[in-house]
Amino acid sequence: MNLKGKTVLLTGASGGIGQAIALELAAAGARLVLVARNTVRLATLQAELVAKYPAAHQIFSADLTQTQDRQDLLAFVRELQGIDVLINNAGISQFGLVAQQDFAAQLGTNLLMPMLLTQTLLPELQRKPEALIVNVGSAFGSIGYPGFSGYSASKFGLRGFTEALKRELSDTGVQVLYFAPRATDTAINSDAVVAMNRELGNRSDSPQLVATALLQQIQQGQARRFVGWPEQLFVRVNAIFPGIVDKALAAKLAVIRRYAQLSHSEA
Ligand SMILES: NC(=O)c1ccc[n+]([C@@H]2O[C@H](COP(=O)([O-])OP(=O)(O)OC[C@H]3O[C@@H](n4cnc5c(N)ncnc54)[C@H](OP(=O)(O)O)[C@@H]3O)[C@@H](O)[C@H]2O)c1
């Protein structure tokens, strides 16, 4: 899709990846609706965008797990005469052993929230001759990772939702894309996660690199994109020969468990 003149609703716009995506989208000529709970961060980003890429960029403060907030956002979108693109980027993550996980929070935010927001806004997207939904998943949406059971489950679910939705809308003007970064340098990762990744040699990307990859995916209309090597390979190996990845992760389990326990004692 050519983003010039398109209205893009971006959730998670106050976060590390969201801010970088917003800058890329605005540079490509899109008009943005920036959504998150933190109004101050949204207003700061809006001011930066308007200064660099003048356009009627909007902010909308909402807790998207709340039905009323999603309805208010729908009313706001209707006032704007609709949107062309919805990017479901907002998310949370917890690192810890199963006993320490808040499954409801992670599934509520990472899975149910984008599903319900998509359901709410789909009629607005369908009014446009050409529209796009992008769901931001994760490498852990294809590889179940120890210490991330809730997060992995939520992102596996999001990938399944995206695939079903894409196929359901395949004869309409609404395209559906799935975008999966690997570890990225943002506040979603606790100190324990950063330290564990360093010890295990897991690479972490900059938000700018991730945002550039997403922009390319949108411009090329690529259905699925996994960021980073060798993660792209591991995703495929895990799908076909999961036993190989079982063994590779079993070899790392002692380190993962040590950091997961550390993460719990820090909390
Ligand atoms: N960083 C990584 O390592 C990594 C790797 C793979 C995938 N991802 C995915 O990339 C996406 C962006 O993550 P990030 O790294 O940029 O994390 P981040 O910096 O923590 O940003 C998360 C964003 O989600 C928003 N959010 C969370 N709960 C919300 C709610 N209930 N209502 C509205 N907004 C909410 C936050 O805004 P407020 O707090 O202002 O509401 C914030 O803008 C997530 O879906 C994440 O799972 C990240």
Side-chain angles (χ1 to χ4, degrees):
M1 176 185 270
N2 178 355
L3 288 161
K4 198 162 176 49
K6 298 287 193 310
T7 302
V8 181
L9 192 155
L10 172 66
T11 76
S14 65
I17 292 176
Q19 292 183 34
I21 293 174
L23 284 158
E24 287 282 341
L25 292 169
R31 176 170 79 132
L32 296 178
V33 183
L34 307 165
V35 184
R37 291 165 299 187
N38 190 316
T39 315
V40 174
R41 284 211 198 117
L42 290 179
T44 306
L45 177 61
Q46 181 190 33
E48 185 183 350
L49 291 180
V50 170
K52 283 189 180 157
Y53 312 105
H57 303 299
Q58 309 275 344
I59 61 172
F60 191 90
S61 179
D63 180 345
L64 294 172
T65 59
Q66 303 300 309
T67 307
Q68 188 58 54
D69 284 23
R70 290 193 302 275
Q71 287 305 317
D72 292 347
L73 180 55
L74 172 63
F76 186 74
V77 162
R78 284 184 176 148
E79 278 171 28
L80 295 176
Q81 312 301 325
I83 53 170
D84 304 285
V85 181
L86 165 63
I87 303 181
N88 285 307
N89 166 68
I92 58 170
S93 176
Q94 283 175 3
F95 177 49
L97 302 178
V98 163
Q100 301 144 9
Q101 292 270 325
D102 184 342
F103 291 139
Q106 291 175 92
L107 289 166
T109 301
N110 297 347
L111 178 57
L112 201 51
M113 186 172 93
M115 290 173 74
L116 292 171
L117 186 63
T118 299
Q119 196 175 45
T120 303
L121 296 178
L122 186 57
E124 299 307 310
L125 290 159
Q126 285 177 316
R127 274 187 241 290
K128 303 283 178 165
E130 176 194 33
L132 187 64
I133 298 169
V134 184
N135 290 335
V136 177
S138 166
F140 290 175
S142 299
I143 301 171
Y145 206 89
F148 289 92
S149 53
Y151 184 76
S152 294
S154 69
K155 294 293 187 178
F156 266 69
L158 184 65
R159 185 164 60 87
F161 172 65
T162 309
E163 189 169 278
L165 184 71
K166 174 187 169 45
R167 291 170 180 171
E168 186 172 315
L169 297 177
S170 60
D171 61 352
T172 76
V174 184
Q175 259 189 296
V176 182
L177 314 183
Y178 179 73
F179 177 68
R182 64 176 175 184
T184 307
D185 307 330
T186 74
I188 205 170
N189 295 314
S190 65
D191 291 348
V193 173
V194 173
M196 178 189 74
N197 281 338
R198 201 173 298 131
E199 183 165 341
L200 292 176
N202 297 337
R203 293 204 193 112
S204 189
D205 294 317
S206 69
Q208 289 72 28
L209 182 145
V210 171
T212 304
L214 176 58
L215 200 83
Q216 281 171 357
Q217 183 187 11
I218 291 175
Q219 287 169 335
Q220 293 164 6
Q222 192 182 1
R224 301 165 184 85
R225 183 155 183 156
F226 295 84
V227 181
W229 187 265
E231 284 76 3
Q232 289 173 12
L233 175 66
F234 291 164
V235 162
R236 285 172 176 75
V237 171
N238 194 52
I240 305 169
F241 304 114
I244 294 176
V245 181
D246 288 348
K247 284 202 187 89
L249 288 175
K252 298 179 173 186
L253 186 56
V255 174
I256 296 170
R257 202 175 267 143
R258 173 158 50 83
Y259 282 106
Q261 276 155 353
L262 180 71
S263 176
H264 183 54
S265 59
E266 273 175 357

